[in-house]
Amino acid sequence: MPSLPTPSADPGSDGLPSDQLFFAQAACALAVTNADGLILRANATACRWLGYDNDELVGRLRMPDLLPIGARLFHHTHCLPILQVMGSVAEIQVDLRNRQGERIPMLINIMRVVDEGRVFDQWALFKASDRRAYERELLIARKTAEAALEARQGAEAQLKALNEQLSAADRRKDEFLATLSHELRNPLAPMRSALDVLTMKLKGVADERLLSAFDRQLRHLTRLVDDLMEVSRITQGRMQLQQEPVELTALVQSAAQDVTPLMQAAGHTLRVSALPPPVVVNGDATRLAQVILNLLTNAAKYTPDGGLIDLSLSCKEGHAEIRVRDNGIGIPAEALGSVFNMFSQLEPALERAQGGLGIGLALVRGIVKLHGGTIRADSAGPGKGSEFTLRLPLVAETVREQSPQSDGPAAAGLRVMVVDDNQDAAETLTMALGMFGCEVRVAHSAEAALDIAARFTPQVALLDIGLPDMNGYELARRLRGMPAMAQAVLIATTGWGQEKDREMAFGAGFNHHLTKPIDFEQLRRLLASSM
């Protein structure tokens, strides 16, 4: 038999209810009759409500005779075509009395259907009292749902507002780090230049231990500033790698040389074990060197004076493995999973004077992840040392040979203009360029630079960006507009070192972008390539 459709009211003038009726499906008596009303099938609920056994009902009694309204029901029916089935539906609320004379307030729904030429009526009886209870439950459920919806909407609004506040706070944090880095680099630049000049002038003359101490601490401070910027880039997803085949043996040995002064100052023994070249990975050599230096610096920092630190490079299962192991303060087992988190600090580390900012290992993990590698920390516990294992996928490419670096003047006779409103920075940079053999002119403003450029026609111009009268980007564009400067090499020298700052510099016509404090060896190579 076809199933009953959803009951609907007949809105005619015969007194039938015109509103949609709801009822409790659980309290439903069903019966099927032929066209004459003879009961052919009935469920247990129908038998119980009407007060008859199933055998008494089926095939013996007519449904209309059991109801007070009798055949009048069919007077109120109307036909509805449902596919190939002809049905009639009526819905009436009546007072039914069963065989025992008990009154049952009922809601009756009848549907007439035609199945293979045979006519049947489907009767559905619902207790009116159940209907009212059901409607009350529906009302309560609806109010509860509406209240829950309002609460959810309020919670979502609060969450949205909180997310906006957190996003704004995160942007302010990034802006603060960028500004802090810029402001710290400004005084670092003349200090770096002055130290390099002193080193070149006093080499072999004065006691180099003093200069080495200055150099060591200045490099450490510069590295902290760089780490702040790198972490900010990683958290914003804006770090871009300059990837190329990198030979790790040379990189590891170079990193070991860079930390030699730090190891010697603490009385540490640094043992280096590296496979012979080539051990090649695809990556950013500068970033990978930064990772190794951070691991070595951490090992030196958290190992008592006179400690032993091992740096090794090996290959295993298609990966290069770099291990840094020390016999220092160690890491508690419960902290091994959090040492790479931002601003993570261990209690033993906090007790040491060189506790640090807690960003170095977070930076290491971020850079390694960008290279498709992994980093893991292991320790037997407090006081038992630590080991950090870095794994990077190997590639089978050969590495371009590096041309040897010259220690002598590489830019003799090169005309260079230095533009910087920081007089200390300009003066120390000028001294260094003079020792390279360059002919130098200095300007402390953009207008002065334009005047000098017209008379001096420099081959190279090093321009600060934050000038008092005109920013360095506009100055670069103005210089490019001068016929004599069309082919000059313009180098941005600035404390702003984010990727967007580099893009703005290149867009303004700069050939190179150097972040303060300037690496003099890098500057020497740029000047040599400009000859």
Side-chain angles (χ1 to χ4, degrees), residues 8-63:
S8 61
D10 185 348
S13 59
D14 48 18
L16 292 177
S18 60
D19 58 329
Q20 180 68 40
L21 298 174
F22 296 92
F23 40 82
Q25 297 284 358
C28 177
L30 296 175
V32 177
T33 72
N34 61 16
D36 297 326
L38 184 66
I39 298 175
L40 304 177
R41 191 164 59 246
N43 67 359
T45 303
C47 295
R48 184 174 68 255
W49 284 2
L50 298 174
Y52 291 87
D53 294 333
N54 188 63
D55 292 341
E56 294 178 293
L57 281 177
V58 177
R60 295 174 179 272
L61 300 174
R62 297 173 68 255
M63 195 69 184

Side-chain angles (χ1 to χ4, degrees), residues 407-523:
D407 291 332
L414 192 68
R415 298 190 306 278
V416 180
M417 178 173 67
V418 175
V419 184
D420 199 320
D421 61 329
N422 186 319
Q423 296 191 10
D424 289 338
E427 185 176 354
T428 52
L429 181 56
T430 299
M431 294 174 65
L433 291 170
M435 298 187 71
F436 290 165
C438 300
E439 184 181 356
V440 187
R441 296 290 185 275
V442 179
H444 299 302
S445 68
E447 289 297 333
L450 292 171
D451 182 60
I452 291 175
R455 294 181 287 104
F456 182 57
T457 59
Q459 297 165 279
V460 178
L462 289 87
L463 312 181
D464 185 26
I465 298 300
L467 298 172
D469 53 344
M470 182 189 307
N471 66 49
Y473 305 127
E474 179 60 28
L475 175 58
R477 285 188 281 265
R478 296 276 292 272
L479 289 174
R480 286 294 184 213
M482 300 171 62
M485 295 293 295
Q487 301 302 318
V489 176
L490 303 185
I491 303 175
T493 58
T494 173
W496 299 105
Q498 297 190 36
E499 190 60 33
K500 65 178 182 180
D501 303 314
R502 296 173 59 84
E503 293 174 357
M504 289 177 63
F506 296 140
F510 282 99
N511 302 94
H512 305 285
H513 182 281
L514 298 181
T515 304
K516 295 178 179 179
I518 296 173
D519 183 333
F520 269 39
E521 188 55 46
Q522 183 182 8
L523 177 59

Side-chain angles (χ1 to χ4, degrees), residues 33-231:
T33 72
N34 61 16
D36 297 326
L38 184 66
I39 298 175
L40 304 177
R41 191 164 59 246
N43 67 359
T45 303
C47 295
R48 184 174 68 255
W49 284 2
L50 298 174
Y52 291 87
D53 294 333
N54 188 63
D55 292 341
E56 294 178 293
L57 281 177
V58 177
R60 295 174 179 272
L61 300 174
R62 297 173 68 255
M63 195 69 184
D65 295 335
L66 300 176
L67 302 176
I69 55 175
R72 175 175 172 272
L73 282 170
F74 293 99
H75 176 70
H76 298 296
T77 62
H78 64 279
C79 295
L80 297 173
I82 304 175
L83 298 178
Q84 296 179 353
V85 178
M86 185 67 70
S88 60
V89 178
E91 197 171 79
I92 302 176
Q93 186 169 342
V94 298
D95 288 336
L96 171 66
R97 295 187 180 276
N98 62 15
R99 186 178 186 182
Q100 288 76 27
E102 298 171 339
R103 179 177 175 276
I104 307 174
M106 299 299 296
L107 178 69
I108 303 174
N109 177 275
I110 305 171
M111 184 177 74
R112 171 159 289 186
V113 296
V114 179
D115 185 19
E116 297 180 354
R118 294 176 296 174
V119 180
F120 299 93
D121 288 320
Q122 293 182 345
W123 300 69
L125 287 67
F126 308 93
K127 284 187 178 181
S129 58
D130 289 339
R131 170 205 173 196
R132 289 192 292 270
Y134 182 61
E135 288 178 335
R136 286 195 297 271
E137 292 176 3
L138 281 179
L139 183 59
I140 294 173
R142 179 176 180 179
K143 290 182 177 179
T144 302
E146 290 176 347
L149 180 61
E150 291 178 1
R152 177 182 175 183
Q153 291 173 340
E156 288 178 347
Q158 292 179 357
L159 182 60
K160 182 179 179 181
L162 182 59
N163 283 335
E164 291 175 351
Q165 292 175 7
L166 289 175
S167 298
D170 191 54
R171 286 194 301 271
R172 287 194 296 270
K173 178 263 296 180
D174 292 331
E175 292 169 358
F176 169 76
L177 289 178
T179 303
L180 175 64
S181 177
H182 174 264
E183 294 302 320
L184 289 174
R185 280 175 172 148
N186 277 333
L188 282 175
M191 292 169 63
R192 178 78 265 170
S193 300
L195 179 59
D196 288 338
V197 169
L198 285 174
T199 301
M200 288 186 285
K201 281 189 173 184
L202 301 179
K203 187 174 183 179
V205 177
D207 189 341
E208 295 184 1
R209 289 178 298 177
L210 184 61
L211 293 177
S212 296
F214 274 115
D215 180 71
R216 196 163 52 247
Q217 298 304 319
L218 189 56
R219 287 181 185 276
H220 178 62
L221 182 57
T222 302
R223 192 174 298 120
L224 286 177
V225 174
D226 289 340
D227 285 356
L228 282 173
M229 283 306 305
E230 301 295 6
V231 166

Side-chain angles (χ1 to χ4, degrees), residues 400-415:
R400 296 192 302 268
E401 293 186 2
Q402 299 282 339
S403 57
Q405 298 176 355
S406 172
D407 291 332
L414 192 68
R415 298 190 306 278

